[in-house]
Amino acid sequence: MEENIKEILFDLVSRKQFRQLKEKLCDMNEFDIASFMEELDSEKQIIVFRMLPKELASDVFACLEVETQGHIINSITDKELAYIIEELYVDDAVDMLEELPATVVKRVLQNAAPSTRLQINEFLKYPENSAGSIMTAEYIGLKKNMTVEEAFAYIRKHGYDKETIYTCYVMDAKRMLEGVVTVKDLLMSDYEVKMEDIMDTNVIKAVTTDDKEEIADLFNKYDLLSLPVVDHENRLVGIVTIDDAVDVMEEEATEDFEKMAAMHPSEKPYLKTGVFELAKNRIVWLLVLMISSMLTGGILTRYEDAFKVMPLLVSFVPMLTDTGGNAGSQSSTMIIRGMTIGEIASSDILKVIWKEARVSVIVGIILGAVNFVRLVVQYPGQPLVALTVVLALFATVFLAKVIGGMLPIAAKKLHLDPAIMAAPLITTIVDAVSLVIYFQIAVELLHIK
Amino acid sequence: MEENIKEILFDLVSRKQFRQLKEKLCDMNEFDIASFMEELDSEKQIIVFRMLPKELASDVFACLEVETQGHIINSITDKELAYIIEELYVDDAVDMLEELPATVVKRVLQNAAPSTRLQINEFLKYPENSAGSIMTAEYIGLKKNMTVEEAFAYIRKHGYDKETIYTCYVMDAKRMLEGVVTVKDLLMSDYEVKMEDIMDTNVIKAVTTDDKEEIADLFNKYDLLSLPVVDHENRLVGIVTIDDAVDVMEEEATEDFEKMAAMHPSEKPYLKTGVFELAKNRIVWLLVLMISSMLTGGILTRYEDAFKVMPLLVSFVPMLTDTGGNAGSQSSTMIIRGMTIGEIASSDILKVIWKEARVSVIVGIILGAVNFVRLVVQYPGQPLVALTVVLALFATVFLAKVIGGMLPIAAKKLHLDPAIMAAPLITTIVDAVSLVIYFQIAVELLHIK
C-alpha cells in the first residue's frame, strides 16, 4: 500500500469523513485494510470495522492481529460475531482461539453453529507444531465416479468458501483418500471423463501428528500449493495450504536465529513479548555460557606467573579469542544452515572437516601474516613474542574452523539440535582451547614459567 | 520418497533390470526421480534419463541440479535437446543457462526455436536479483471483452504448458495490464459474463527492475500464488510464481545467517563452493574484526600495572567479555530478524531501548547474583574483588543489550544493512566497553593504579 493512501485514510478518519472513507476502503484489499486498522486507536478500529460490508469485514477480520480480533469480538453483537465465525477458515479460527483469553473463547464458541463448534473443538486438540495444528477443513472433496462435468458443478456450488479449489481430493465412501485432481487436470479433460481416470493416486500427504516443519519441507521439495492431511486410518481430515507452509518456514528461520544466538525461541513478536518472558528466554543460556567461561578464566589463573613476567602477553588475548570465536562461528553457521535446508547431510562430516581444514589454512596464513607485520613494527625487539602470537593465532583459527564445522554434525548424530552448536557455545569452547595453546606456546618459546 | 524405494531402484540399476526400473520410474513424480538420479554416477544418469518417456524426461530435467543438466545436454542429440528446451519454462531455462559454461549455452540456444531463443535472450538481460530474473513468461493472458466461456476455451487450449493457470491476466491491445481474474472467479461466474465485469483492477504487481526480496515480501503480505511483472510502460512481461518466491525467501534467510556470522554471502551450496571462494568470503570480516580486537587489546596494556599488582583480575576477563558478547548478540539478533520480517520498524527505536534496558536489569541482577555467590565462596577474603566483578558484569550486560538493540536500527537509519550489526561486531564493541568499565571500577574500588 502506498504511504500517501494511508495518509489520506488517516486524514479522513480524523476529519470524520466516514462516507468517503468507506468508499475508499471498499476499493482496497483485506490485507491493506487490516494493516491500516492496526494503526488506529481501539475506538476508531471499531468504527472503521463496522462501516465495512459484512463479507469484506470478515475477510479483514482474518487478517487482523489477535489482540485486535479480541477487541473487536468484545465490541460487536452476538449476531455479527456468529457471521464472522462461520466465514472464518477453521485454521484461522483455531489460531485465534489459541491465543485469546478463556472468556472470549467461550463467547466465540457459544455463538458458533454446532457443527462449526464441533470442528473447532476437534482442531484445537491437535498438538502444537503438528500438521493438525496448521491444517484447515475447507477443501473440495470429490468422489471417484464423478465425471469432470459433475466435478465442475460441485466446485461451482461448494467452492466459494473453500480455502483452495485448485487441488481437489478424491475419497471413497469412508473418506479414505484415494487420489488428487487439480482444476488444471479438470480443464484439460473432456466433460465425460471420470475422476478415477484422471486422478493422481501417488499422493504426497501428511498425517495429523507429523511435525509442521516436515510439512514445510514437503512443500519446498515438491513445489506444492496444498497438501492433504490424513488421520492414522488414512481418512482425509484437512489440508494445509501454501500460505501456512510459508509461515512455518519463516517461523522456523526465526527460531533458528534465536537458538543460534543462545536464546529460547519466543512465541510472540518481539514488541509484543513481555520483559520477563524475554529475560526468561535469555537467562538460561547466558548462565550456562557464563559458567563455562569462568572455567576459561580458570585456565588463565594457571598462567598467572607468565603474565606477571610479561604483561604484554595479556593484551593479545582479546584478539586471539575474538578471532577464534569469529572463525569458528562462521563455520558452524554455514554447516547448521546447510543442514537445515538439506544441503549437508550427517554423512558429509569428513568432507566438511577436510574443507574447513583447507579454508582455515588459507585464512590462518593471511591473518597470521597481517599480525606478524603489525607485531614486528609495533614491538621491534621481540620477534619471539610475534612468533608466539602468530603460531597461536594460526592454531586457533585451524581448530576453531574444524571444531565449528564438526560439532553441529556431531550434535545431529547424537539427536541434539545442531543449532545449539552455534556461535556462543563454539566461542566458549574455542576460547578455552586457544588460551591453552597460546600460553603453552609462550611458555615453550619464551621460556617463562 | 521412502528410503526402501530408493534402495529397490539402486538394486535394479546395479542388476541392469532396466525394464522393471522403467516401470517403477514411470509411477514416480519428477522430483523423486531427479533426486534419485542425482545419486547415480554420470554414465548411469544418462541411461536412466534416456529410458524416461519424453514428457516425463523434460519434467525431470527441470528438477535436476545444473551440473547434471549440463552433463545431460552434452550427452543427448540435438533433437532431444530441442524438445527439452521447448518444454522448459523460461525461468528454469534462464536459471540453468546463467550457470552453464559458454559452449553449452551456445549449443542450447542454437537448438531452441527462434521465438524461444529471443525470449531467453531477453530474460537473460534482467539484472541479477531483480524481479525480471525470477519471472517466467508462461502465463494465461486474456482480453477484457472475452466471456467466461471464451476464457475457459482459451485456457483449455493454451493452458497445458503454462506455469500457472489459476490466476489469469487481462490485458488491452497494447499488452497493458488491466486486471486479474482467478479460475475460482471464472468457476463462480456465469458463462456469458465478461472479463471486464469480474476482473479485479486493483492489481498487486511488480516492475521488472524491483528487487526480488521485495517480491517475496509481497507474496508474504498478500498471500499470493503468483504476481504479474510489468515493464516501465506497464506492459505485462511475465509472472513470478510462489515456488520461486519461496526460494527467494529461503535464500534471503541463508544470506542473513551468513552476513550475521560475518561472512560475504555465497552464491552456491556449501559443498559445491571451492575452498578459495569460501576463504575469500570469510577473510575480509575476520581481518576487520581482528584489527578491531587489537584495539581492545590495546586497552588492556593501559591497565598492565593493575594486573601486575593483582593477576587474579585477568582471570575474570573471558567471563566478562563472553557474557557481554552473548548478551549483546541475543539482543541484536532479535532486532535484526524482527526488522527483516517487518515486525520492528526504525521508528520503534525508543521502545526497543526501553525494553532492552529492562530485560538487561533482570538478566544482569541474576547473573550478578550467581557470580557474587561464586566469588564469595571461591575467594572468601576479597569482597571488594567480588563487588568489582559483579558491578562490571552488570554494567556490561546493560550496555551490551542496549547497544545490541540500538545499533541494528541505527544502521538501518543510515541505510546500511542491519545484519552487519550482528554478533561479531557487537561482541567486539562490547568487549572494549566492558574492559574499560571493569578496570576503571577495579582502579577505583581496589585502589590499584
Side-chain angles (χ1 to χ4, degrees), chain A residues 27 32 202 222 262 270 356, chain B residues 27 32 202 222 270 330 356:
Chain A
D27 274 347
D32 288 336
N202 206 337
Y222 296 108
Y270 174 80
E356 288 302 319
Chain B
D27 273 348
D32 287 335
N202 206 337
Y222 296 108
Y270 174 80
Q330 284 181 336
E356 288 302 320

Side-chain angles (χ1 to χ4, degrees), chain A residues 336-390:
Chain A
I336 294 169
R337 180 67 184 163
M339 287 198 288
T340 306
I341 56 179
E343 282 173 5
I344 300 173
S346 301
S347 54
D348 294 322
I349 189 162
L350 291 177
K351 275 189 228 168
V352 168
I353 292 176
W354 176 226
K355 196 156 227 167
E356 288 302 319
R358 286 174 297 161
V359 172
S360 71
V361 169
I362 302 174
V363 170
I365 288 176
I366 298 174
L367 294 175
V370 171
N371 239 307
F372 193 77
V373 171
R374 174 236 171 181
L375 290 167
V376 167
V377 171
Q378 203 172 352
Y379 307 101
Q382 307 186 294
L384 279 181
V385 170
L387 191 62
T388 302
V389 172
V390 168

Side-chain angles (χ1 to χ4, degrees), chain B residues 202-430:
Chain B
N202 206 337
V203 187
I204 293 159
K205 63 192 173 189
V207 180
T208 47
T209 48
D210 284 351
D211 189 276
K212 66 180 181 183
E213 297 191 357
E214 287 168 36
I215 308 298
D217 291 343
L218 286 178
F219 274 85
N220 246 336
K221 187 167 169 199
Y222 296 108
D223 284 354
L224 305 171
L225 293 179
S226 58
L227 176 78
V229 182
V230 298
D231 64 15
H232 289 277
E233 278 82 47
N234 196 33
R235 278 187 305 251
L236 185 62
V237 285
I239 60 167
V240 176
T241 48
I242 179 130
D243 52 317
D244 297 309
V246 168
D247 289 345
V248 172
M249 293 174 208
E250 291 272 295
E251 272 171 39
E252 194 184 346
T254 302
E255 273 184 25
D256 279 349
F257 275 108
E258 292 175 345
K259 284 191 265 177
M260 287 167 73
M263 283 177 280
H264 185 80
S266 60
E267 301 279 306
K268 282 181 282 181
Y270 174 80
L271 290 174
K272 309 229 156 146
T273 313
V275 170
F276 283 97
E277 201 178 327
L278 285 175
K280 204 182 75 189
N281 291 340
R282 299 178 186 184
I283 189 70
V284 177
W285 268 109
L286 284 180
L287 275 172
V288 170
L289 294 168
M290 185 179 78
I291 293 168
S292 319
S293 58
M294 287 175 184
L295 302 178
T296 309
I299 294 172
L300 280 178
T301 54
R302 278 176 43 202
Y303 295 98
E304 261 180 30
D305 297 337
F307 51 81
K308 245 189 210 158
V309 176
M310 192 174 269
L312 180 60
L313 284 180
V314 177
S315 74
F316 303 119
V317 166
M319 187 274 292
L320 270 178
T321 54
D322 282 1
T323 306
N326 291 329
S329 52
Q330 284 181 336
S331 306
S332 69
T333 301
M334 286 212 85
I335 305 308
I336 293 170
R337 180 66 184 164
M339 286 198 287
T340 306
I341 57 180
E343 281 174 5
I344 300 173
S346 301
S347 53
D348 294 321
I349 188 160
L350 291 178
K351 277 189 228 171
V352 168
I353 293 177
W354 177 224
K355 196 158 227 164
E356 288 302 320
R358 284 175 298 161
V359 172
S360 71
V361 168
I362 301 174
V363 169
I365 287 175
I366 298 174
L367 294 175
V370 170
N371 239 309
F372 192 77
V373 171
R374 174 236 171 183
L375 290 169
V376 166
V377 171
Q378 203 173 350
Y379 306 100
Q382 306 187 296
L384 279 181
V385 170
L387 192 61
T388 302
V389 172
V390 168
L391 285 180
L393 181 68
F394 184 85
T396 299
V397 169
F398 181 83
L399 283 170
K401 289 220 166 280
V402 171
I403 292 173
M406 199 174 58
L407 284 191
I409 303 183
K412 187 152 193 197
K413 288 205 180 196
L414 295 170
H415 302 285
L416 294 170
D417 187 344
I420 61 166
M421 294 300 177
L425 195 55
I426 296 289
T427 302
T428 308
I429 296 169
V430 169

Side-chain angles (χ1 to χ4, degrees), chain A residues 39 131 182 352 436:
Chain A
E39 293 181 40
T182 65
V352 168
V436 172

